[in-house]
């Protein structure tokens, strides 16, 4: 679900005067977060696939859970913790089991990580309009206390419980 | 014609890539309590094939080789494949100068005979230079073929690096294995 | 000139006055050899050259004369195969622009097996599976219409290439299933993490027409199969870590999985195991399976064989046990058998020698020392 206004006559003005994402109405399926899409393709797609469909045992699909996480505070923390610290250990996503070691992407800056997460949550996960975009500050907040990959997985379990997943 | 024999004569500590010494000992029917024959793993029924359990419950005793990061018998190297970075200017968990660690990797579960715990170990490759060609070591505890890539040590895990030439492998403790 | 003068002088010393009549040696004419026509005992030995991994090669060797016949260079972590007519070698490999580093270029290269000249290449996306050699890293379709190449990035997919036009037709995602097993006209199969087999059917142009997933035919947790399937008449036989033989028949519309049979007795199971890099060779007409076997436990699946066991594929009985280490050979990590009526078994050891056995009697005829640095896959046309 694009957050773009399909009326493109004001695109140039929108760029200058607002923080709305760039709307490319000529391409109706353009991502709402193009910088996030680029970061995702460059860093995440190699394991999670270009559309976030995942790969058996190696990397879970991202088309469902991340959008749910983004709707609660601890879920949003989980998104930041995952990209900053990676994760390892067996997890289940919708009856499929995955057991790989996700590397950490702490070398990327907060804005890039937030953009990639927003691409995941909104463009891949189609989160609703009442979900706030992830802000770079939310990434920065988790950077100061790194977690190891198994603790990230444990935190995930508690997030899933809160969401009834 | 390059011979690799010198790798095996190099020191008493280094083992043949395919641990032929182990199979020779097996053929002679000897059973050792050291690292050479009994896998450094507890009996974990969730992973075990229907193999005869070696001396049920008996784990490897700590000995100098299992504590030596320059030895293929080092306890952390239980599923390593390649050259030991500790022989190449790195350590058992750091890359040699001028090489880049691979972000993706395969995983093993190794038993530490000193503190008797099982650890999840990540076998990152160090990338961007040609083969280190020193201390070749291949062990395959719980290793699986390529269709289970997270447990496979045949793949070049430098594949996703900007420079994907393979130089050597490290072993990084991720955490204690859950039972 | 000087050499022939010396030659003449020595000759005259030996033979007296009559030597002055012997003419000097003629000037020689430098040429490049061509290989004689293929014979059943020629073997292509892929040397992964693991100690110097960017420098892999294929060594050609004659199992009758024990002559080295030539070399095909193979780059970094190659896949290797032969065309169905045996006239062309295909190698999938990787080059870095500065040798050890730099821009990565993945290619499939075609070499004429008479001249050993590499004549064509197809440039691939930099996705090739860089892994140990199997029959299924790069492969021709049976009708030579397509060449398939396995991609792992680690996302799994494969490339479909046109070996007549030397072009890439396309890429097909396999949802995590790996390798390219030619499995019938316009069909390619891949092995999946769940123990299943994915089969993709291509249209005439080489794009996906349909796909199907089999039921699980092995248990990857309890008894994984080696990816090194061994060609049988109608498909492949996959050996498992514990010694089960899974024959898969591809002659029909979909794969048919025969009931597995065991290489080991109940007493031997878990003690004696197949192991190595190329774990098994089958003489299709005689119906004989040759397997390097070792004694070992979990984690020993890459250990070389201290014996070679021979099985009858029809009766599933072991018919011979050939000693290896007691013949002063190092453990055997790869085997291949010629398909003729006087067959030879080639056995590469983990000390890089290649032993030549009479495949009917098990008599050890010859040991070729150091046929490459790490010979791990052998093909014979």
């Amino acid at each position: 679900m694009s957050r773009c206004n399909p009326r493109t006559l004001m695109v140039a003005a929108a760029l200058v005067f607002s923080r709305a994402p760039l709307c490319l109405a000529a391409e109706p399926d353009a991502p709402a977060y193009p910088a996030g899409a680029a970061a995702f393709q460059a860093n995440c797609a190699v394991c999670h696939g270009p559309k976030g469909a995942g790969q058996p045992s190696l990397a879970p699909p991202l088309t469902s859970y991340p959008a749910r996480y983004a709707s609660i505070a601890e879920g949003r923390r989980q998104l930041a913790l995952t990209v900053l610290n990676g994760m390892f250990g067996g997890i289940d996503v919708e009856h499929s089991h995955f057991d790989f070691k996700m590397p950490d992407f702490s070398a990327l800056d907060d804005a890039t990580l937030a953009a990639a997460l927003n691409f995941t949550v909104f463009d891949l996960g189609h989160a609703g309009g009442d979900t706030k975009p992830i802000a770079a500050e939310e990434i920065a907040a988790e950077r100061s206390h790194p977690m190891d990959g198994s603790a990230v997985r444990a935190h995930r379990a508690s997030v899933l419980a809160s969401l009834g997943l | 014609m390059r011979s690799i024999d010198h790798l095996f004569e190099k020191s008493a500590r280094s083992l043949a890539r395919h641990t032929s010494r182990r199979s020779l000992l097996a053929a002679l029917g000897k059973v050792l309590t050291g690292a050479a024959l009994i896998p450094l793993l507890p009996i974990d029924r969730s992973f075990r094939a229907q193999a005869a359990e070696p001396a049920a419950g008996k784990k490897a005793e700590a000995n100098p080789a299992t504590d030596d990061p320059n030895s293929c018998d080092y306890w952390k190297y239980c599923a390593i494949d390649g050259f030991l970075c500790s022989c190449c200017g790195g350590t058992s968990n750091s890359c040699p100068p001028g090489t880049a660690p691979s972000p993706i990797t395969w995983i093993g579960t190794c038993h530490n005979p000193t503190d008797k715990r099982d650890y999840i170990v990540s076998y990152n490759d160090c990338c961007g230079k040609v083969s280190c060609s020193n201390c070749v070591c291949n062990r395959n505890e719980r290793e699986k073929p390529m269709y289970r890539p997270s447990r496979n040590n045949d793949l070049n895990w430098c594949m996703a690096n900007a420079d994907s030439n393979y130089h050597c492998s490290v072993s990084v403790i991720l955490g204690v294995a859950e039972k | 000139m000087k050499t022939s003068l010396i030659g003449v002088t020595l000759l005259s010393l030996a033979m007296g006055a009559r030597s002055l009549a012997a003419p000097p040696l003629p000037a020689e004419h430098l040429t490049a050899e061509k290989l004689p026509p293929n014979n059943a005992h020629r073997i292509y030995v892929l040397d992964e050259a693991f100690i110097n991994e960017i420098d892999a090669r294929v060594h050609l060797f004659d199992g009758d004369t024990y002559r080295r016949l030539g070399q095909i260079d193979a780059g970094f972590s190659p896949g290797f195969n032969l065309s169905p007519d045996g006239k062309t070698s295909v190698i999938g490999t990787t080059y870095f622009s500065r040798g050890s580093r730099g821009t990565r270029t993945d290619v499939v290269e075609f070499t004429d097996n008479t001249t050993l000249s590499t004549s064509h290449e197809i440039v691939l996306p930099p996705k090739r599976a860089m892994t140990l050699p199997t029959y299924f890293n790069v492969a021709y379709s049976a009708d030579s219409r397509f060449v398939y190449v396995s991609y792992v990035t680690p996302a799994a997919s494969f490339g479909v290439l046109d070996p007549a036009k030397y072009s890439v037709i396309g890429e097909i995602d396999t949802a995590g299933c790996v390798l390219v097993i030619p499995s019938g006209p316009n069909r390619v199969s891949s092995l999946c993490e769940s123990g299943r087999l994915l089969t993709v059917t291509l249209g005439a142009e080489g794009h996906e027409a349909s796909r199907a997933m089999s039921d699980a035919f092995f248990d990857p947790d309890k008894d994984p199969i080696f990816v090194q399937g061994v060609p049988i008449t109608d498909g492949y036989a996959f050996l498992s870590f514990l010694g089960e033989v899974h024959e898969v028949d591809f002659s029909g519309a979909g794969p048919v999985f025969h009931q597995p049979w065991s290489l080991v007795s109940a007493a031997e199971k878990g003690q004696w195991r197949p192991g190595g890099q190329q774990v098994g060779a089958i003489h299709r007409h005689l119906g004989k399976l040759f397997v390097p076997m070792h004694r070992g436990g979990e984690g020993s699946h890459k250990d070389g064989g201290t014996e070679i066991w021979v099985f009858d594929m029809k009766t599933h009985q072991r018919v011979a046990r050939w000693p290896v280490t007691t013949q002063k050979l190092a453990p055997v990590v790869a085997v291949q058998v010629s398909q003729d009526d006087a067959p030879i078994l080639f056995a590469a050891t983990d000390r890089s020698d290649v032993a030549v056995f009479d495949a009917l009697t098990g008599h050890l005829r010859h040991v070729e020392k150091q046929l490459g640095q790490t010979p791990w896959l052998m093909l014979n046309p």
Side-chain angles (χ1 to χ4, degrees):
Chain A
M1 196 173 8
S2 172
R3 296 170 80 243
C4 289
N5 184 330
R7 288 170 297 200
T8 59
L9 292 173
M10 301 299 288
V11 163
L15 269 177
V16 174
F17 297 116
S18 84
R19 291 187 185 176
L22 175 63
C23 301
L24 303 166
E27 300 166 49
D29 57 348
Y33 291 91
F40 185 92
Q41 300 308 333
N43 295 284
C44 320
V46 71
C47 291
H48 289 284
K51 299 197 172 104
Q55 189 163 225
S57 102
L58 199 91
L62 301 175
T63 48
S64 175
Y65 284 15
R68 306 282 299 271
Y69 294 170
S71 66
I72 61 172
E74 282 304 308
R76 299 165 75 85
R77 282 196 67 223
Q78 177 64 18
L79 292 172
L81 289 168
T82 304
V83 295
L84 285 170
N85 300 293
M87 193 192 311
F88 73 91
I91 61 169
D92 290 301
V93 176
E94 293 164 344
H95 314 297
S96 294
H97 187 72
F98 301 89
D99 196 358
F100 193 52
K101 175 186 171 290
M102 173 171 159
D104 74 80
F105 292 91
S106 54
L108 300 175
D109 63 41
D110 298 337
T112 305
L113 290 172
L117 286 173
N118 284 326
F119 171 76
T120 305
V121 165
F122 294 103
D123 286 300
L124 298 183
H126 305 299
D130 50 353
T131 302
K132 291 171 70 151
I134 311 282
E137 291 73 22
E138 295 179 70
I139 311 293
E142 301 309 325
R143 223 184 251 279
S144 52
H145 31 91
M147 225 186 236
D148 79 44
S150 65
V152 175
R153 177 174 166 268
H155 186 262
R156 175 183 180 275
S158 69
V159 169
L160 290 178
S162 312
L163 289 169
L165 288 170
Chain B
M1 227 174 345
R2 183 178 294 272
S3 163
I4 54 172
D5 285 359
H6 70 280
L7 288 170
F8 313 113
E9 269 92 77
K10 193 177 179 66
S11 89
R13 300 171 305 179
S14 59
L15 283 185
R17 182 182 190 274
H18 289 283
T19 60
S20 61
R21 196 172 80 197
R22 295 184 188 184
S23 38
L24 177 62
L25 290 169
L28 294 172
K30 287 189 181 173
V31 176
L32 300 179
T33 56
L37 270 183
I38 294 179
L40 300 174
L41 289 172
I43 310 304
D44 179 343
R45 297 187 192 280
S46 66
F47 279 107
R48 273 311 186 165
Q50 292 153 16
E53 315 282 22
K58 198 165 197 177
K59 297 172 191 175
E61 301 298 311
N63 71 53
T66 62
D67 288 334
D68 178 5
N70 290 328
S71 165
C72 192
D73 281 333
Y74 185 46
W75 73 269
K76 266 204 294 178
Y77 296 153
C78 77
I80 207 165
D81 182 11
F83 310 105
L84 303 179
C85 289
S86 55
C87 300
C88 306
T91 67
S92 74
N93 62 9
S94 68
C95 285
T99 64
S102 66
I104 53 173
T105 177
W106 78 101
I107 311 285
T109 305
C110 298
H111 182 72
N112 182 346
T114 302
D115 71 2
K116 312 276 190 260
R117 290 193 183 90
D118 299 328
Y119 289 90
I120 308 280
V121 177
S122 163
Y123 294 102
N124 300 67
D125 285 342
C126 300
C127 313
K129 288 184 192 253
V130 294
S131 321
C132 166
S133 311
N134 203 17
C135 295
V136 68
C137 177
N138 177 222
R139 290 166 57 190
N140 297 286
E141 292 171 19
R142 304 194 201 188
E143 197 261 356
K144 290 286 193 299
M146 204 176 139
Y147 43 77
R148 187 163 287 178
S150 60
R151 296 294 181 276
N152 178 258
N153 64 23
D154 296 336
L155 286 161
N156 175 18
W157 286 99
C158 294
M159 66 180 93
N161 279 54
D163 267 313
S164 46
N165 209 345
Y166 168 71
H167 184 65
C168 62
S169 299
V170 297
S171 60
V172 179
I173 293 173
L174 295 183
V176 178
E178 287 176 14
K179 287 281 182 236
Chain C
M1 254 327 154
K2 199 165 180 185
T3 316
S4 48
L5 264 174
I6 290 170
V8 167
T9 309
L10 287 171
L11 212 55
S12 60
L13 281 172
M15 300 191 63
R18 278 166 57 195
S19 66
L20 290 170
L25 295 168
E28 294 173 321
H29 185 53
L30 177 57
T31 59
E33 292 286 333
K34 282 197 172 130
L35 284 167
N38 212 356
N39 77 65
H41 291 175
R42 183 173 299 167
I43 192 85
Y44 292 68
V45 180
L46 177 61
D47 172 16
E48 177 88 359
F50 185 71
I51 309 303
N52 302 89
E53 208 178 359
I54 58 173
D55 195 10
R57 308 93 181 271
V58 176
H59 300 282
L60 280 76
F61 180 69
D62 187 313
D64 289 326
T65 63
Y66 312 132
R67 274 195 71 225
R68 311 251 178 144
L69 302 172
Q71 172 177 304
I72 304 172
D73 295 346
F76 178 82
S77 198
F80 169 61
N81 223 319
L82 298 169
S83 59
D85 64 10
K87 293 183 176 160
T88 306
S89 285
V90 66
I91 285 176
T93 191
T94 296
Y95 296 105
F96 304 104
S97 60
R98 285 293 182 270
S100 63
R101 60 184 170 84
T103 308
R104 170 179 163 185
T105 304
D106 288 3
V107 291
V108 165
E109 298 175 329
F110 297 85
T111 298
D112 180 310
N113 284 341
T114 302
T115 62
L116 297 190
S117 293
T118 298
S119 59
H120 293 89
E121 70 174 23
I122 302 174
V123 178
L124 309 173
K127 297 185 170 195
R128 205 181 57 82
M130 292 191 277
T131 184
L132 296 186
T134 73
Y135 287 107
F136 311 125
N137 300 34
V138 61
Y140 274 82
S141 61
D143 61 3
S144 300
R145 170 77 179 85
F146 302 119
V147 168
Y148 311 117
V149 55
S150 172
Y151 294 160
V152 171
T153 62
S157 59
F158 65 89
V160 182
L161 315 177
D162 186 328
K165 297 191 182 136
Y166 302 108
S167 62
V168 177
I169 294 171
E171 177 183 342
I172 295 177
D173 186 87
T174 52
C177 304
V178 295
L179 296 170
V180 287
I181 306 167
S183 54
N186 286 20
R187 287 199 295 268
V188 193
S189 294
S190 304
L191 289 166
C192 308
E193 188 266 343
S194 51
R196 298 169 192 257
L197 193 75
L198 169 72
T199 299
V200 174
T201 301
L202 307 177
E205 299 309 312
H207 300 287
E208 178 174 350
S210 64
R211 63 173 61 194
M213 190 73 97
S214 75
D215 292 332
F217 72 100
F218 68 96
D219 185 332
D221 291 308
K222 294 207 178 79
D223 191 14
I225 57 169
F226 292 97
V227 295
Q228 284 288 22
V230 190
I232 55 179
T233 307
D234 288 322
Y236 298 92
F238 292 91
L239 274 53
S240 79
F241 285 11
L242 289 176
E244 299 293 294
V245 181
H246 297 259
E247 294 181 49
V248 185
D249 183 332
F250 286 121
S251 60
V256 173
F257 303 99
H258 293 284
Q259 182 69 19
W261 54 277
S262 189
L263 300 175
V264 290
S265 66
E268 291 164 339
K269 191 161 189 170
Q271 310 282 342
W272 281 97
R273 298 170 183 243
Q277 297 295 334
Q278 188 174 13
V279 188
I282 290 173
H283 190 295
R284 297 184 278 284
H285 178 62
L286 292 175
K288 291 284 188 303
L289 165 67
F290 304 84
V291 188
M293 300 288 288
H294 67 278
R295 286 178 66 124
E298 194 282 327
S300 71
H301 47 278
K302 293 183 199 161
D303 287 7
T306 56
E307 297 182 8
I308 293 172
W309 292 8
V310 187
F311 295 86
D312 182 313
M313 294 284 290
K314 285 202 182 57
T315 66
H316 302 163
Q317 298 302 307
R318 185 175 65 208
V319 298
R321 287 171 78 152
W322 300 348
V324 166
T325 44
T326 53
Q327 297 199 71
K328 297 202 169 64
L329 283 174
V332 167
V333 296
V335 285
Q336 184 56 271
V337 66
S338 67
Q339 297 296 311
D340 61 315
D341 293 332
I344 288 179
L345 183 89
F346 299 90
T349 73
D350 72 8
R351 290 288 195 271
S352 316
D353 302 329
V354 174
V356 180
F357 290 88
D358 178 321
L360 297 176
T361 64
H363 172 66
L364 175 62
R365 289 184 180 168
H366 174 76
V367 178
E368 182 67 14
K369 304 292 265 174
Q370 301 295 289
L371 216 180
Q373 195 185 87
T374 52
W376 286 340
L377 179 75
M378 298 184 285
L379 298 188
N380 113 300

